[in-house]
Amino acid sequence: MEVKDIIKEENLAYKKTKVLTDNEMHYCPGCTHGVVHKVIAEVIEEKDIQENTIGISPVGCSVLAYNYLHIDWQEAAHGRAPALATATSRLMPDKYVFTYQGDGDLASIGAAEIIHACNRGENIVVIFINNGIYGMTGGQMAPTTLEGMPTSTSPYGRDIKLSGHPLKMTELVANLPGTTFVARHSAETAGAVRKLKKAIRKAFDNIDEKKGTSFIEVVSTCSSGWKLTPEASNTWMKENMFPFYPLGIIKDE
Amino acid sequence: MGELRLMKGNEAIAEAAIRYGVDGYFGYPITPQSEVIETLMARKPWEETGMVVVQAESEVAAANMLYGGAACGKKVMTSSSSPGVSLKLEAISYIAGAELPALVVNVVRGGPGLGTIQPAQSDYFQAVKGGGHGDYHLIVFAPNSVQEMADFVEDTYELAIKYRNPAMILSDGIIGQMMEKVELKDFKPRFTDAEIKEKFGSWATTGKTPDRERNIVTSLELQSELQEKHNHKLQAKYQQMRETEVRFESTNTEDAEYLLVAYGSSSRICRKAMELARDKGIKVGLLRPITLFPFPTKQLAELANQVKGMLSVEMSAGQMVEDIRLAVNGKVPVEHFGRYGGIIHSPDEIVNALEKQIIKG
């Protein structure tokens, strides 16, 4: 039997969702942005909401996220995606509006916008990628950088006296009455991706029920910024990030 | 004749926005323009026209809501006063770069910094030279009455749509706060989803339907050749505005030997100053730019062939005077007379300035 005899529609066990474009992704080896994009795209396809979904991309490594999902997109200024999402969702209440933001974008420059969008209970989904570093600008310290973690602006490791404590945004927004579903996941194993997908599906389902803001953090790696191999990055994440940023559902109302 | 009311400028602009069919207003309180959002919240237009009104957490957020709403092909508006507009410039630059129609109102107060809550015209540079980062221009209209505060909502928005470019109504604390008679236009229906699709379907993020490619609203283009091309397109647009959209009002210019140039509140005071000067036998005319960008450069250049000198009268340390000088190009003396920090000119001191700086100078 030849390979071409096996590649048939009826033998397909898995295929790329049509909501992902064919554009080659610019992300580094080991980066989980691509995996999270794929999971969001699959949820959009499964819910059959491609025509009604608007994505808001941030400033950061995923600034070009709009190249990869076959939906309408807005590209926000740094940190402001929740403000754009607020207007988009209010003006088009039947649409599925989500923001996709990194830790510098969401937890630092956009801290006010995310807290107030969550506090107003905007009927949107927020996907928050936390790898504890600014990736796109070349590995600077983020608000989520762990104590002692070296970056290009904390070359001797993050010093709490100098730069304050790593910020747990997810626990913070869980305290706001406007959020309905708040969870922290990861995407380094097939099992983790399955759990993440279930959470993202639930977040988009919450929009149907107009339940308020759903917020999902994805604890991630940055091989280039961390200056580790993809495999070593995953190990470092499990040993250092997970204890400080514990996975699980924090709020589900 | 439309409905007549006695209103503050800030109230009139809110009422005009509802009647024009604005879809969304996003604001943040600041003196002397808070009546705009107060009027809207009291009027509850969401019950009447479906207009969305949001009090944002900051001017930064309000302007970025404006950006998101504009990206949906909705008619959107924000208003603020000087320190607040400084914060909005981030989003305004993105809106200009992404080529979206939107309306920003600045009810100017004196600066710099926190400055004063009293009226001024010291944000001229910020309004007409772009204001935020990058090479861009806003379409800028300067009302000098409560009536124009109301009328310019539609006038500026129609141009914003025509050029896919943000527009600004550059008002000041006098026009915002004073009450005058205003004739309100009848209600216009908001654009339906079908109309938005028909008019803005090539760019608005209303959801990717199978009949079109996905729409991406962005100001980002990392390839320098393409970014330069995009900038050429923007510049061509601004040039077309300069050629076709200039608005101005000239009074007593036919026989004028001297010209006062003033916009907004200053132009109202200059009308009185012109009368006083004419009573003294000085042949004075007044040119009032209505659009500050595009600026009546051609009209001023022509008047420079006729008059002996021009005086720019601004509630600032002298900003518009630079554009007048560029237009006149040294042909006749152009001087500036300003009061600022919240102080308003008296007609007498304008006549004195004209005599001292232009006629005897």
Side-chain angles (χ1 to χ4, degrees), chain A residues 21 23 51 54 63-64 66-67 69-77 80 83-84 86-88 90-92 95 112-113 116 120, chain B residues 23 26 52 54 57 60-61 64-65 67-69 71-72 74 90 94 204-210 212 214-218 220:
Chain A
T21 65
N23 293 331
E51 291 183 21
I54 318 292
V63 66
L64 296 169
Y66 55 72
N67 283 335
L69 262 67
H70 213 58
I71 54 170
D72 281 358
W73 281 96
Q74 300 169 10
E75 204 291 298
R80 317 296 180 220
L84 278 75
T86 296
T88 302
R90 297 273 187 121
L91 289 163
M92 301 192 299
K95 304 292 179 193
E113 283 76 18
H116 287 278
R120 288 189 299 264
Chain B
D23 297 297
F26 308 94
V52 167
V54 179
E57 62 271 29
V60 172
N64 281 284
M65 289 175 188
Y67 177 27
C72 301
K74 299 284 186 179
E90 171 192 67
Y94 279 69
T205 57
T206 52
K208 189 226 161 297
T209 42
R212 67 158 170 82
R214 67 213 168 96
N215 285 336
I216 299 167
V217 169
T218 181
L220 179 69

Short mmCIF file of all heavy atoms in Angstrom, two decimals, chain A residues 21 23 51 54 63-64 66-67 69-77 80 83-84 86-88 90-92 95 112-113 116 120, chain B residues 23 26 52 54 57 60-61 64-65 67-69 71-72 74 90 94 204-210 212 214-218 220:
data_model
loop_
_atom_site.label_atom_id
_atom_site.label_comp_id
_atom_site.label_asym_id
_atom_site.label_seq_id
_atom_site.Cartn_x
_atom_site.Cartn_y
_atom_site.Cartn_z
N THR A 21 -5.50 30.35 9.03
CA THR A 21 -5.06 30.62 7.67
C THR A 21 -3.86 29.73 7.35
O THR A 21 -3.33 29.03 8.21
CB THR A 21 -4.62 32.10 7.52
OG1 THR A 21 -3.46 32.31 8.34
CG2 THR A 21 -5.72 33.05 7.94
N ASN A 23 -1.04 30.98 6.42
CA ASN A 23 0.17 31.79 6.60
C ASN A 23 1.15 31.11 7.55
O ASN A 23 0.74 30.57 8.59
CB ASN A 23 -0.19 33.17 7.17
CG ASN A 23 -0.99 34.00 6.18
OD1 ASN A 23 -0.84 33.84 4.98
ND2 ASN A 23 -1.86 34.87 6.68
N GLU A 51 -18.29 33.84 11.29
CA GLU A 51 -18.85 35.07 10.71
C GLU A 51 -19.16 36.11 11.78
O GLU A 51 -19.43 37.26 11.45
CB GLU A 51 -20.15 34.76 9.96
CG GLU A 51 -19.94 33.97 8.70
CD GLU A 51 -21.25 33.75 7.95
OE1 GLU A 51 -22.20 34.52 8.16
OE2 GLU A 51 -21.30 32.80 7.17
N ILE A 54 -14.99 38.64 16.34
CA ILE A 54 -14.04 39.73 16.11
C ILE A 54 -12.90 39.55 17.11
O ILE A 54 -13.14 39.53 18.32
CB ILE A 54 -14.67 41.12 16.34
CG1 ILE A 54 -16.09 41.23 15.78
CG2 ILE A 54 -13.75 42.23 15.81
CD1 ILE A 54 -16.24 41.20 14.31
N VAL A 63 1.25 40.53 18.04
CA VAL A 63 0.70 41.69 17.33
C VAL A 63 0.19 41.28 15.96
O VAL A 63 -0.76 41.86 15.44
CB VAL A 63 1.77 42.82 17.22
CG1 VAL A 63 2.93 42.41 16.33
CG2 VAL A 63 1.16 44.12 16.72
N LEU A 64 0.82 40.26 15.37
CA LEU A 64 0.42 39.81 14.03
C LEU A 64 -0.54 38.62 14.08
O LEU A 64 -0.71 37.92 13.08
CB LEU A 64 1.67 39.45 13.20
CG LEU A 64 2.61 40.63 12.90
CD1 LEU A 64 3.92 40.13 12.32
CD2 LEU A 64 1.97 41.63 11.96
N TYR A 66 -3.45 38.56 13.75
CA TYR A 66 -4.48 38.69 12.71
C TYR A 66 -4.09 38.02 11.40
O TYR A 66 -4.92 37.86 10.53
CB TYR A 66 -4.87 40.16 12.50
CG TYR A 66 -3.75 41.13 12.18
CD1 TYR A 66 -3.11 41.12 10.95
CD2 TYR A 66 -3.35 42.09 13.12
CE1 TYR A 66 -2.11 42.03 10.65
CE2 TYR A 66 -2.35 43.00 12.84
CZ TYR A 66 -1.74 42.97 11.60
OH TYR A 66 -0.74 43.88 11.32
N ASN A 67 -2.81 37.65 11.27
CA ASN A 67 -2.41 36.92 10.06
C ASN A 67 -2.83 35.46 10.10
O ASN A 67 -2.75 34.77 9.09
CB ASN A 67 -0.90 37.00 9.86
CG ASN A 67 -0.46 38.34 9.32
OD1 ASN A 67 -1.25 39.03 8.67
ND2 ASN A 67 0.78 38.74 9.60
N LEU A 69 -5.67 33.85 12.05
CA LEU A 69 -7.05 33.40 12.21
C LEU A 69 -7.92 34.06 11.15
O LEU A 69 -7.86 35.27 10.95
CB LEU A 69 -7.60 33.73 13.62
CG LEU A 69 -7.54 32.57 14.61
CD1 LEU A 69 -6.11 32.23 14.94
CD2 LEU A 69 -8.31 32.90 15.89
N HIS A 70 -8.73 33.23 10.50
CA HIS A 70 -9.49 33.68 9.35
C HIS A 70 -10.80 34.34 9.81
O HIS A 70 -11.89 33.88 9.52
CB HIS A 70 -9.77 32.47 8.45
CG HIS A 70 -9.82 32.83 7.01
ND1 HIS A 70 -8.78 33.42 6.33
CD2 HIS A 70 -10.81 32.71 6.10
CE1 HIS A 70 -9.11 33.62 5.08
NE2 HIS A 70 -10.34 33.20 4.91
N ILE A 71 -10.64 35.45 10.53
CA ILE A 71 -11.78 36.21 11.05
C ILE A 71 -11.45 37.70 10.91
O ILE A 71 -10.33 38.04 10.56
CB ILE A 71 -12.05 35.90 12.55
CG1 ILE A 71 -10.77 36.14 13.37
CG2 ILE A 71 -12.57 34.47 12.73
CD1 ILE A 71 -10.97 36.10 14.87
N ASP A 72 -12.42 38.56 11.20
CA ASP A 72 -12.14 40.00 11.23
C ASP A 72 -11.35 40.33 12.49
O ASP A 72 -11.60 39.77 13.56
CB ASP A 72 -13.45 40.80 11.23
CG ASP A 72 -14.05 40.90 9.83
OD1 ASP A 72 -13.44 40.39 8.87
OD2 ASP A 72 -15.13 41.51 9.71
N TRP A 73 -10.43 41.27 12.34
CA TRP A 73 -9.54 41.62 13.45
C TRP A 73 -9.39 43.12 13.60
O TRP A 73 -9.43 43.85 12.61
CB TRP A 73 -8.12 41.09 13.19
CG TRP A 73 -7.87 39.65 13.45
CD1 TRP A 73 -7.91 38.65 12.53
CD2 TRP A 73 -7.49 39.05 14.70
NE1 TRP A 73 -7.58 37.46 13.14
CE2 TRP A 73 -7.32 37.67 14.46
CE3 TRP A 73 -7.28 39.54 15.99
CZ2 TRP A 73 -6.95 36.78 15.46
CZ3 TRP A 73 -6.91 38.65 16.99
CH2 TRP A 73 -6.75 37.28 16.72
N GLN A 74 -9.14 43.54 14.82
CA GLN A 74 -8.68 44.91 15.09
C GLN A 74 -7.32 44.80 15.78
O GLN A 74 -7.15 43.94 16.65
CB GLN A 74 -9.65 45.66 16.00
CG GLN A 74 -11.06 45.80 15.43
CD GLN A 74 -12.05 46.30 16.46
OE1 GLN A 74 -11.69 46.71 17.55
NE2 GLN A 74 -13.32 46.24 16.10
N GLU A 75 -6.41 45.66 15.40
CA GLU A 75 -5.08 45.65 16.05
C GLU A 75 -5.01 46.87 16.96
O GLU A 75 -5.02 48.00 16.50
CB GLU A 75 -3.99 45.67 14.98
CG GLU A 75 -2.66 45.10 15.45
CD GLU A 75 -2.00 45.99 16.49
OE1 GLU A 75 -1.69 47.13 16.16
OE2 GLU A 75 -1.84 45.53 17.64
N ALA A 76 -4.94 46.60 18.27
CA ALA A 76 -5.03 47.67 19.27
C ALA A 76 -3.68 48.33 19.54
O ALA A 76 -2.63 47.79 19.19
CB ALA A 76 -5.58 47.10 20.57
N ALA A 77 -3.72 49.47 20.19
CA ALA A 77 -2.50 50.05 20.77
C ALA A 77 -2.13 49.21 22.01
O ALA A 77 -2.95 48.47 22.54
CB ALA A 77 -2.74 51.50 21.16
N ARG A 80 -4.44 48.31 25.13
CA ARG A 80 -5.78 48.90 25.03
C ARG A 80 -6.84 47.96 24.45
O ARG A 80 -7.98 48.39 24.24
CB ARG A 80 -5.76 50.18 24.17
CG ARG A 80 -4.60 51.11 24.43
CD ARG A 80 -4.61 51.71 25.82
NE ARG A 80 -3.46 52.59 25.96
CZ ARG A 80 -2.71 52.68 27.04
NH1 ARG A 80 -2.97 51.94 28.10
NH2 ARG A 80 -1.69 53.50 27.07
N ALA A 83 -10.36 48.03 25.79
CA ALA A 83 -11.16 49.22 25.46
C ALA A 83 -11.81 49.06 24.09
O ALA A 83 -12.99 49.33 23.90
CB ALA A 83 -10.29 50.48 25.51
N LEU A 84 -11.03 48.57 23.12
CA LEU A 84 -11.59 48.33 21.78
C LEU A 84 -12.68 47.27 21.86
O LEU A 84 -13.74 47.38 21.22
CB LEU A 84 -10.50 47.87 20.80
CG LEU A 84 -9.64 48.97 20.16
CD1 LEU A 84 -8.63 49.52 21.15
CD2 LEU A 84 -8.92 48.46 18.93
N THR A 86 -14.54 46.55 24.41
CA THR A 86 -15.73 47.12 25.07
C THR A 86 -16.64 47.78 24.05
O THR A 86 -17.84 47.49 23.99
CB THR A 86 -15.29 48.17 26.13
OG1 THR A 86 -14.55 47.50 27.15
CG2 THR A 86 -16.49 48.87 26.75
N ALA A 87 -16.05 48.66 23.22
CA ALA A 87 -16.86 49.37 22.23
C ALA A 87 -17.44 48.40 21.20
O ALA A 87 -18.61 48.47 20.84
CB ALA A 87 -16.02 50.44 21.54
N THR A 88 -16.62 47.46 20.75
CA THR A 88 -17.05 46.52 19.71
C THR A 88 -18.20 45.67 20.22
O THR A 88 -19.20 45.46 19.52
CB THR A 88 -15.86 45.65 19.28
OG1 THR A 88 -14.83 46.52 18.81
CG2 THR A 88 -16.24 44.68 18.18
N ARG A 90 -20.23 46.36 22.80
CA ARG A 90 -21.42 47.18 23.11
C ARG A 90 -22.17 47.57 21.83
O ARG A 90 -23.39 47.62 21.81
CB ARG A 90 -21.01 48.47 23.83
CG ARG A 90 -20.37 48.25 25.17
CD ARG A 90 -21.40 48.16 26.28
NE ARG A 90 -20.73 48.12 27.57
CZ ARG A 90 -20.95 49.01 28.54
NH1 ARG A 90 -21.79 50.01 28.36
NH2 ARG A 90 -20.31 48.90 29.69
N LEU A 91 -21.39 47.89 20.78
CA LEU A 91 -22.02 48.35 19.53
C LEU A 91 -22.54 47.19 18.69
O LEU A 91 -23.43 47.38 17.87
CB LEU A 91 -21.01 49.19 18.72
CG LEU A 91 -20.69 50.56 19.31
CD1 LEU A 91 -19.43 51.14 18.70
CD2 LEU A 91 -21.85 51.53 19.09
N MET A 92 -21.98 46.00 18.89
CA MET A 92 -22.45 44.82 18.15
C MET A 92 -22.64 43.68 19.15
O MET A 92 -21.86 42.73 19.20
CB MET A 92 -21.42 44.43 17.06
CG MET A 92 -21.14 45.54 16.05
SD MET A 92 -20.23 45.00 14.60
CE MET A 92 -18.71 44.44 15.32
N LYS A 95 -22.14 39.83 18.59
CA LYS A 95 -20.87 39.28 18.11
C LYS A 95 -20.07 38.66 19.26
O LYS A 95 -20.27 39.00 20.44
CB LYS A 95 -20.02 40.38 17.47
CG LYS A 95 -20.70 41.12 16.33
CD LYS A 95 -20.92 40.25 15.12
CE LYS A 95 -21.62 41.03 14.01
NZ LYS A 95 -22.12 40.18 12.94
N ALA A 112 -5.03 49.20 33.63
CA ALA A 112 -6.28 49.93 33.89
C ALA A 112 -7.39 49.42 32.98
O ALA A 112 -8.51 49.19 33.42
CB ALA A 112 -6.07 51.43 33.68
N GLU A 113 -7.06 49.24 31.69
CA GLU A 113 -8.10 48.85 30.73
C GLU A 113 -8.66 47.47 31.06
O GLU A 113 -9.87 47.25 31.00
CB GLU A 113 -7.54 48.86 29.30
CG GLU A 113 -7.40 50.25 28.70
CD GLU A 113 -6.22 51.04 29.23
OE1 GLU A 113 -5.30 50.43 29.82
OE2 GLU A 113 -6.21 52.28 29.09
N HIS A 116 -10.87 47.56 34.39
CA HIS A 116 -12.18 48.21 34.24
C HIS A 116 -13.09 47.46 33.29
O HIS A 116 -14.31 47.43 33.50
CB HIS A 116 -12.00 49.67 33.86
CG HIS A 116 -11.52 50.49 35.02
ND1 HIS A 116 -12.37 50.98 35.97
CD2 HIS A 116 -10.26 50.84 35.42
CE1 HIS A 116 -11.67 51.62 36.89
NE2 HIS A 116 -10.39 51.54 36.57
N ARG A 120 -16.56 46.12 34.66
CA ARG A 120 -17.86 46.44 34.03
C ARG A 120 -18.57 45.16 33.60
O ARG A 120 -19.74 45.19 33.25
CB ARG A 120 -17.65 47.34 32.80
CG ARG A 120 -17.26 48.77 33.10
CD ARG A 120 -17.31 49.64 31.84
NE ARG A 120 -16.39 49.16 30.81
CZ ARG A 120 -15.18 49.63 30.60
NH1 ARG A 120 -14.70 50.60 31.35
NH2 ARG A 120 -14.43 49.13 29.65
N ASP B 23 -23.72 56.38 16.75
CA ASP B 23 -23.94 55.05 17.34
C ASP B 23 -23.34 54.91 18.73
O ASP B 23 -23.87 54.17 19.56
CB ASP B 23 -23.30 53.97 16.45
CG ASP B 23 -23.92 53.92 15.08
OD1 ASP B 23 -25.12 53.62 14.99
OD2 ASP B 23 -23.21 54.20 14.10
N PHE B 26 -18.10 57.84 23.81
CA PHE B 26 -17.23 57.33 24.87
C PHE B 26 -16.51 58.52 25.49
O PHE B 26 -15.79 59.23 24.80
CB PHE B 26 -16.23 56.33 24.28
CG PHE B 26 -16.91 55.26 23.47
CD1 PHE B 26 -17.04 55.40 22.10
CD2 PHE B 26 -17.47 54.15 24.09
CE1 PHE B 26 -17.72 54.43 21.34
CE2 PHE B 26 -18.15 53.19 23.34
CZ PHE B 26 -18.27 53.33 21.98
N VAL B 52 -25.15 54.04 22.03
CA VAL B 52 -24.42 53.54 23.21
C VAL B 52 -23.65 54.70 23.84
O VAL B 52 -23.01 55.48 23.12
CB VAL B 52 -23.44 52.42 22.78
CG1 VAL B 52 -22.44 52.11 23.88
CG2 VAL B 52 -24.20 51.17 22.35
N VAL B 54 -20.86 55.40 26.99
CA VAL B 54 -20.03 54.75 28.02
C VAL B 54 -19.16 55.80 28.70
O VAL B 54 -18.48 56.58 28.02
CB VAL B 54 -19.11 53.66 27.41
CG1 VAL B 54 -18.24 53.03 28.50
CG2 VAL B 54 -19.93 52.59 26.69
N GLU B 57 -12.93 54.61 31.92
CA GLU B 57 -12.11 54.76 33.11
C GLU B 57 -11.04 55.84 32.95
O GLU B 57 -10.41 56.23 33.94
CB GLU B 57 -11.45 53.42 33.48
CG GLU B 57 -10.49 52.84 32.43
CD GLU B 57 -11.20 51.95 31.42
OE1 GLU B 57 -12.39 52.18 31.15
OE2 GLU B 57 -10.56 51.02 30.90
N VAL B 60 -7.67 57.83 27.97
CA VAL B 60 -6.96 56.85 27.14
C VAL B 60 -7.94 55.76 26.70
O VAL B 60 -8.02 55.41 25.52
CB VAL B 60 -5.78 56.22 27.93
CG1 VAL B 60 -5.16 55.08 27.16
CG2 VAL B 60 -4.74 57.27 28.25
N ALA B 61 -8.69 55.22 27.66
CA ALA B 61 -9.64 54.16 27.34
C ALA B 61 -10.76 54.68 26.45
O ALA B 61 -11.16 54.01 25.49
CB ALA B 61 -10.21 53.56 28.62
N ASN B 64 -9.62 54.86 22.96
CA ASN B 64 -9.41 53.53 22.37
C ASN B 64 -10.74 52.81 22.16
O ASN B 64 -10.85 51.96 21.27
CB ASN B 64 -8.43 52.71 23.21
CG ASN B 64 -6.99 53.13 22.94
OD1 ASN B 64 -6.42 52.77 21.92
ND2 ASN B 64 -6.43 53.94 23.82
N MET B 65 -11.75 53.14 22.95
CA MET B 65 -13.11 52.67 22.65
C MET B 65 -13.57 53.28 21.33
O MET B 65 -14.20 52.62 20.51
CB MET B 65 -14.07 53.03 23.78
CG MET B 65 -13.84 52.24 25.05
SD MET B 65 -14.92 52.82 26.39
CE MET B 65 -14.25 51.89 27.76
N TYR B 67 -11.71 54.07 18.91
CA TYR B 67 -10.98 53.33 17.86
C TYR B 67 -11.69 52.00 17.56
O TYR B 67 -11.96 51.68 16.39
CB TYR B 67 -9.55 53.11 18.35
CG TYR B 67 -8.63 52.28 17.46
CD1 TYR B 67 -8.81 52.21 16.08
CD2 TYR B 67 -7.54 51.60 18.01
CE1 TYR B 67 -7.94 51.46 15.29
CE2 TYR B 67 -6.67 50.86 17.23
CZ TYR B 67 -6.87 50.79 15.88
OH TYR B 67 -6.02 50.04 15.11
N GLY B 68 -12.06 51.28 18.60
CA GLY B 68 -12.74 49.99 18.40
C GLY B 68 -14.10 50.17 17.74
O GLY B 68 -14.46 49.43 16.82
N GLY B 69 -14.83 51.18 18.19
CA GLY B 69 -16.15 51.43 17.61
C GLY B 69 -16.05 51.88 16.16
O GLY B 69 -16.83 51.43 15.30
N ALA B 71 -13.76 51.09 14.13
CA ALA B 71 -13.33 49.92 13.35
C ALA B 71 -14.53 49.06 12.93
O ALA B 71 -14.46 48.31 11.97
CB ALA B 71 -12.34 49.09 14.15
N CYS B 72 -15.65 49.18 13.67
CA CYS B 72 -16.86 48.41 13.35
C CYS B 72 -17.72 49.13 12.31
O CYS B 72 -18.80 48.65 11.98
CB CYS B 72 -17.69 48.17 14.61
SG CYS B 72 -16.82 47.29 15.90
N LYS B 74 -19.09 51.99 12.81
CA LYS B 74 -20.12 52.73 13.53
C LYS B 74 -19.72 54.20 13.60
O LYS B 74 -18.53 54.53 13.60
CB LYS B 74 -20.27 52.17 14.95
CG LYS B 74 -20.69 50.72 15.00
CD LYS B 74 -22.16 50.55 14.68
CE LYS B 74 -22.60 49.11 14.87
NZ LYS B 74 -24.03 48.93 14.58
N GLU B 90 -2.91 59.17 21.60
CA GLU B 90 -2.43 57.84 21.23
C GLU B 90 -3.41 57.18 20.26
O GLU B 90 -3.06 56.81 19.14
CB GLU B 90 -2.29 56.97 22.49
CG GLU B 90 -1.99 55.52 22.16
CD GLU B 90 -2.14 54.60 23.38
OE1 GLU B 90 -3.26 54.43 23.87
OE2 GLU B 90 -1.12 54.08 23.81
N TYR B 94 -3.59 56.20 15.98
CA TYR B 94 -3.93 54.87 15.44
C TYR B 94 -5.13 54.97 14.48
O TYR B 94 -5.17 54.32 13.44
CB TYR B 94 -4.26 53.90 16.58
CG TYR B 94 -3.04 53.30 17.25
CD1 TYR B 94 -2.21 54.08 18.03
CD2 TYR B 94 -2.72 51.96 17.10
CE1 TYR B 94 -1.10 53.55 18.65
CE2 TYR B 94 -1.61 51.41 17.72
CZ TYR B 94 -0.81 52.21 18.50
OH TYR B 94 0.29 51.67 19.10
N ALA B 204 -14.77 47.46 7.41
CA ALA B 204 -15.30 47.41 8.79
C ALA B 204 -15.30 45.98 9.34
O ALA B 204 -15.63 45.03 8.62
CB ALA B 204 -16.71 47.99 8.83
N THR B 205 -14.94 45.86 10.62
CA THR B 205 -14.86 44.53 11.26
C THR B 205 -16.23 44.17 11.83
O THR B 205 -16.47 44.24 13.02
CB THR B 205 -13.82 44.53 12.39
OG1 THR B 205 -14.16 45.56 13.33
CG2 THR B 205 -12.43 44.80 11.86
N THR B 206 -17.10 43.74 10.94
CA THR B 206 -18.46 43.36 11.34
C THR B 206 -18.64 41.85 11.35
O THR B 206 -19.75 41.36 11.52
CB THR B 206 -19.48 43.98 10.37
OG1 THR B 206 -19.10 43.63 9.04
CG2 THR B 206 -19.51 45.48 10.49
N GLY B 207 -17.55 41.11 11.13
CA GLY B 207 -17.63 39.65 11.05
C GLY B 207 -17.40 39.21 9.62
O GLY B 207 -18.02 39.72 8.69
N LYS B 208 -16.47 38.26 9.45
CA LYS B 208 -16.09 37.83 8.09
C LYS B 208 -17.14 36.89 7.49
O LYS B 208 -17.27 35.75 7.89
CB LYS B 208 -14.74 37.10 8.12
CG LYS B 208 -14.18 36.83 6.74
CD LYS B 208 -13.66 35.41 6.62
CE LYS B 208 -13.51 34.96 5.20
NZ LYS B 208 -14.78 34.91 4.44
N THR B 209 -17.91 37.42 6.57
CA THR B 209 -18.91 36.60 5.89
C THR B 209 -18.27 35.94 4.66
O THR B 209 -17.24 36.42 4.18
CB THR B 209 -20.12 37.47 5.48
OG1 THR B 209 -19.62 38.70 4.96
CG2 THR B 209 -21.01 37.76 6.68
N PRO B 210 -18.87 34.87 4.16
CA PRO B 210 -18.23 34.13 3.04
C PRO B 210 -18.08 34.98 1.78
O PRO B 210 -17.25 34.66 0.92
CB PRO B 210 -19.20 32.97 2.79
CG PRO B 210 -19.99 32.83 4.04
CD PRO B 210 -20.09 34.19 4.63
N ARG B 212 -16.84 37.89 1.39
CA ARG B 212 -15.70 38.81 1.34
C ARG B 212 -14.50 38.26 2.09
O ARG B 212 -14.64 37.33 2.89
CB ARG B 212 -16.10 40.18 1.89
CG ARG B 212 -16.43 40.20 3.39
CD ARG B 212 -16.27 41.61 3.93
NE ARG B 212 -16.78 41.81 5.28
CZ ARG B 212 -16.09 41.51 6.41
NH1 ARG B 212 -14.90 40.93 6.36
NH2 ARG B 212 -16.64 41.77 7.59
N ARG B 214 -11.44 38.59 4.91
CA ARG B 214 -11.53 39.12 6.27
C ARG B 214 -11.02 40.56 6.29
O ARG B 214 -10.12 40.92 5.53
CB ARG B 214 -10.75 38.23 7.24
CG ARG B 214 -9.27 38.22 7.04
CD ARG B 214 -8.69 36.85 7.39
NE ARG B 214 -7.31 36.79 6.92
CZ ARG B 214 -6.27 37.04 7.69
NH1 ARG B 214 -6.45 37.32 8.96
NH2 ARG B 214 -5.05 37.01 7.21
N ASN B 215 -11.63 41.36 7.14
CA ASN B 215 -11.20 42.75 7.29
C ASN B 215 -10.29 42.87 8.52
O ASN B 215 -10.63 42.38 9.60
CB ASN B 215 -12.41 43.67 7.45
CG ASN B 215 -13.12 43.88 6.12
OD1 ASN B 215 -12.50 43.74 5.05
ND2 ASN B 215 -14.40 44.21 6.16
N ILE B 216 -9.17 43.52 8.30
CA ILE B 216 -8.21 43.73 9.40
C ILE B 216 -7.98 45.22 9.55
O ILE B 216 -7.52 45.88 8.62
CB ILE B 216 -6.87 43.02 9.10
CG1 ILE B 216 -7.09 41.51 8.96
CG2 ILE B 216 -5.86 43.32 10.20
CD1 ILE B 216 -5.93 40.77 8.36
N VAL B 217 -8.35 45.74 10.71
CA VAL B 217 -8.12 47.16 10.98
C VAL B 217 -6.81 47.27 11.75
O VAL B 217 -6.68 46.79 12.87
CB VAL B 217 -9.28 47.76 11.80
CG1 VAL B 217 -8.90 49.15 12.31
CG2 VAL B 217 -10.54 47.84 10.94
N THR B 218 -5.82 47.87 11.13
CA THR B 218 -4.51 48.00 11.77
C THR B 218 -3.80 49.22 11.23
O THR B 218 -4.08 49.68 10.12
CB THR B 218 -3.65 46.73 11.52
OG1 THR B 218 -2.39 46.90 12.18
CG2 THR B 218 -3.42 46.47 10.05
N LEU B 220 -0.44 49.00 11.50
CA LEU B 220 0.90 48.39 11.45
C LEU B 220 1.25 47.95 10.04
O LEU B 220 0.46 47.27 9.39
CB LEU B 220 0.94 47.17 12.40
CG LEU B 220 2.26 46.39 12.48
CD1 LEU B 220 3.33 47.21 13.15
CD2 LEU B 220 2.05 45.08 13.23
#
